[in-house]
Amino acid sequence: MNAIEQLNRTILLCRDYVSDELSDASICKSFQSLRVLCVADAANLSSHSGQSCLTTVVALLSRMGMQVTLAIPEISSIRRQPPFRGTLLRYSLLASSNKLISGAAVEQESSEREPDLIFVLGNSAIEQRPCPTWRLSGSEWQGAITQATTCAPRWTAEWPIGAMTSAVLAAGEAFKYVMRRLPLKSKDDLVCFEPSRVSNWDFGSISTPAGVLDLGEVDIVSAGAISPATLYVLLRLPQPRIAGRIFDDDTTSPTNFNRNMLTLVGDADSEKVRLVVDRCSPEFDLTPKYQRFMAEARETQQMAPYVLVGVDDIPSRWQVQRCTSGLLVVSGTSHFSISSSCHRPGEPCCGCQHPVDDVDGLTAIPTVSFISFWAGLAMAVRLIRRAVGAGHGLDRQHLWMTPLRMDQTHAAMWSPVAARLDCPVRCSASWVTGSG
Ligand SMILES: [Zn+2]
C-alpha cells in the first residue's frame, strides 16, 4: 500500500482545479511535504472540548497525508478518542503516526525543520514565527479560527461539537495552503483558496443534556465516509447511547482511508460494517448488516425511528426514504460542497429534495477528509437535536455548504425543502401539492 493509492480520491478532487500536466505523484507529494505544528498547553487540554479539537485536527490533517508535529504536554485522555488508542493523549496521537495514511507522520516538535503552518489551541502561549498561524477556539456548539495576532478564549467546555467545528475549519485552511502552492488551470480560481483571517460556524446553541444522552434506535445506511464521521462525532459526546443497525455490503479499500474517520491502515479488506461496529464498541450497541440496503429485503420492512443515510447515490436515498416511517437524515458531498437534510413524516422528502438522479458518470467519488467530515458533523448535530427535542424548523430543513471559504457570507445556506409534484418517492407532501 502506498500514499498515492490512499490519497487517490483527494488527488481526484484537486484535479477540479489543478493543472492537468501535474502528475498524481506531484500532487501527493505536495500534501506530504506540508508540515503543520499543533500547539496546546495543559490548561487548554484540561477539557474534553480541547482534547477533541486537537485529536480531530490531527486526524483530518493526517488523512490528507500531511506531517503533524506536536508541542503539547502529556496529559490523561478525559474520554476515549477512537480510532486513537491509549489513555494518554500525546502518546495516543504519536502512536497514530503512519497509521491513518501511510507516510503521514505525527511527531514531537523538533528544531530540525520549521513548520509551514501553526494551529494553536485557545489561548495557549506561542512564540512568534514567520508562518501562517491560526488560533482554534469555540464553545459548546460554535467553533472558530482566527489568525494568531488576535486573542482567543481557552477551551473549557465538556460538550465537543464546537471543538470539532473549529478543527474542521482549520483543516480546510491547511488544504487551501497546499492548493495555493500548486499550478491551477485558471489563476481566477485562486480566490477559492485564499486564507481566511477569521471564520466561524455556529450550529445554534441549545442546552446540552446532563448525564446519559440516549440517541435512541437508529438505522444507518452506508459505512463508507459520512456515517463513520457522524459516529466519530457522536462517540465524543458525554455518555452517548445508540442502539441499531448499520447496512453496507462493501469492504474497506485503501482509497477509503482519506475520509473514513474510524479506519487505520491495517484495516484494508475488512467488512466496513464490522469495522465501524468494533470501533464504536462498547459505547454503541450496533448490529452489522453486511448487505446492500434493499427496499424489498426482510430486514428493511421495519426500520428504526431514526434513519441516517450517508450515500451519494440519489436513487438509493429514494429507496431508503420509501422504507422510512420515522425521521430520515441525509448527508452527502459533491466535490467541494456538502448537503445535509432532515425529513419527518408529512414533510417534503429526500425525493423532493433531489428529484433527479445525478448522472455525472463518476465511479470514483472525489473527496477529501474535511469535506466528508463536515457532512458527517452536520448529520450528527441533526440527530442530537432531534433526540433532545430541539430539532431545526422547516426553514432549516436543508443545509448547503461549500466550506472552502467559511469567511464568506454565502458559504453556507439553510433553506426549506419544497414539495414537488414529480417527487420520485411519491411522498405524502407531494400528494398535497398535487391535489392543490
Ligand atoms: Zn417527496
Side-chain angles (χ1 to χ4, degrees):
M1 277 189 291
N2 59 51
I4 293 185
E5 183 185 11
Q6 294 165 20
L7 293 174
N8 171 273
R9 305 304 171 83
T10 301
I11 293 167
L12 204 56
L13 184 65
C14 294
R15 292 206 173 281
D16 283 2
Y17 292 100
V18 167
S19 166
D20 292 334
E21 276 120 59
L22 212 62
S23 67
D24 283 359
S26 299
I27 298 174
C28 182
K29 196 173 169 193
S30 63
F31 281 94
Q32 290 182 302
S33 63
L34 190 79
R35 184 166 295 265
V36 183
L37 172 63
C38 297
V39 180
D41 62 15
N44 281 277
L45 292 176
S46 65
S47 63
H48 179 54
S49 59
Q51 295 193 359
S52 298
C53 180
L54 179 65
T55 57
T56 304
V57 77
V58 171
L60 293 169
L61 297 171
S62 292
R63 290 190 190 280
M64 289 190 275
M66 297 167 180
Q67 312 304 310
V68 176
T69 52
L70 301 175
I72 64 170
E74 186 60 287
I75 197 162
S76 293
S77 295
I78 295 168
R79 299 186 186 284
R80 221 164 65 85
Q81 295 275 352
F84 300 103
R85 292 169 173 157
T87 55
L88 295 173
L89 191 69
R90 187 175 64 189
Y91 173 85
S92 63
L93 290 172
L94 294 173
S96 76
S97 185
N98 291 298
K99 291 202 172 67
L100 303 184
I101 292 280
S102 299
V106 182
E107 297 171 332
Q108 296 218 57
E109 186 194 19
S110 74
S111 55
E112 286 170 21
R113 205 190 121 185
E114 282 291 309
D116 300 298
L117 297 179
I118 304 177
F119 293 138
V120 186
L121 257 68
N123 63 352
S124 304
I126 48 163
E127 48 181 275
Q128 288 292 335
R129 301 220 203 182
C131 68
T133 303
W134 281 269
R135 287 191 181 275
L136 283 60
S137 63
S139 53
E140 293 180 324
W141 294 94
Q142 173 263 340
I145 55 169
T146 50
Q147 288 204 343
T149 47
T150 51
C151 300
R154 180 164 72 88
W155 285 103
T156 56
E158 183 182 27
W159 190 259
I161 297 296
M164 288 182 272
T165 304
S166 178
V168 70
L169 287 168
E173 293 302 322
F175 177 83
K176 289 189 293 181
Y177 184 91
V178 173
M179 290 296 281
R180 288 197 296 275
R181 295 196 301 184
L182 294 173
L184 302 184
K185 287 173 182 159
S186 166
K187 281 190 178 153
D188 295 343
D189 292 333
L190 258 178
V191 69
C192 303
F193 305 108
E194 283 179 8
S196 305
R197 286 185 60 78
V198 176
S199 67
N200 68 78
W201 178 253
D202 190 346
F203 276 104
S205 188
I206 55 172
S207 63
T208 52
V212 173
L213 173 60
D214 189 355
L215 295 162
E217 202 183 325
V218 181
D219 279 334
I220 303 167
V221 182
S222 171
I226 294 165
S227 310
T230 298
L231 290 165
Y232 174 102
V233 172
L234 297 175
L235 279 166
R236 282 158 174 75
L237 302 177
Q239 301 184 61
R241 296 285 179 276
I242 282 185
R245 305 174 296 177
I246 180 162
F247 294 83
D248 201 310
D249 66 344
D250 203 5
T251 53
T252 304
S253 153
T255 61
N256 300 135
F257 297 155
N258 78 325
R259 62 198 185 284
N260 186 326
M261 292 293 282
L262 296 174
T263 55
L264 300 168
V265 291
D267 293 328
D269 300 326
S270 59
E271 293 174 12
K272 285 180 179 174
V273 284
R274 214 163 285 282
L275 175 75
V276 166
V277 168
D278 286 350
R279 296 279 143 82
C280 294
S281 175
E283 287 88 348
F284 296 164
D285 178 18
L286 291 173
T287 303
K289 293 287 180 185
Y290 183 51
Q291 62 190 71
R292 188 174 175 78
F293 184 93
M294 303 285 277
E296 59 275 17
R298 182 172 50 85
E299 288 85 354
T300 60
Q301 299 307 306
Q302 189 71 46
M303 295 295 281
Y306 295 139
V307 180
L308 308 181
V309 181
V311 292
D312 290 325
D313 181 59
I314 304 289
S316 298
R317 295 180 186 173
W318 300 339
Q319 218 181 127
V320 179
Q321 180 76 73
R322 290 186 189 108
C323 298
T324 302
S325 56
L327 176 86
L328 180 72
V329 184
V330 183
S331 272
T333 65
S334 177
H335 295 259
F336 286 100
S337 295
I338 72 134
S339 164
S340 171
S341 59
C342 191
H343 311 272
R344 285 179 299 188
E347 293 176 357
C349 76
C350 81
C352 294
Q353 173 66 39
H354 292 287
V356 179
D357 189 9
D358 181 10
V359 284
D360 66 3
L362 287 174
T363 50
I365 307 285
T367 188
V368 62
S369 63
F370 74 97
I371 295 287
S372 295
F373 191 74
W374 270 114
L377 180 59
M379 186 147 80
V381 169
R382 287 190 184 278
L383 178 65
I384 296 163
R385 291 185 65 115
R386 288 289 171 192
V388 301
H392 292 302
L394 283 175
D395 59 331
R396 295 196 165 200
Q397 203 183 352
H398 183 238
L399 172 65
W400 177 264
M401 181 185 271
T402 304
L404 280 178
R405 292 293 307 272
M406 289 300 283
D407 55 334
Q408 300 294 304
T409 314
H410 300 299
M413 285 179 289
W414 296 98
S415 64
V417 176
R420 293 183 62 115
L421 274 171
D422 59 350
C423 170
V425 176
R426 299 299 298 132
C427 68
S428 59
S430 72
W431 303 343
V432 174
T433 300
S435 63

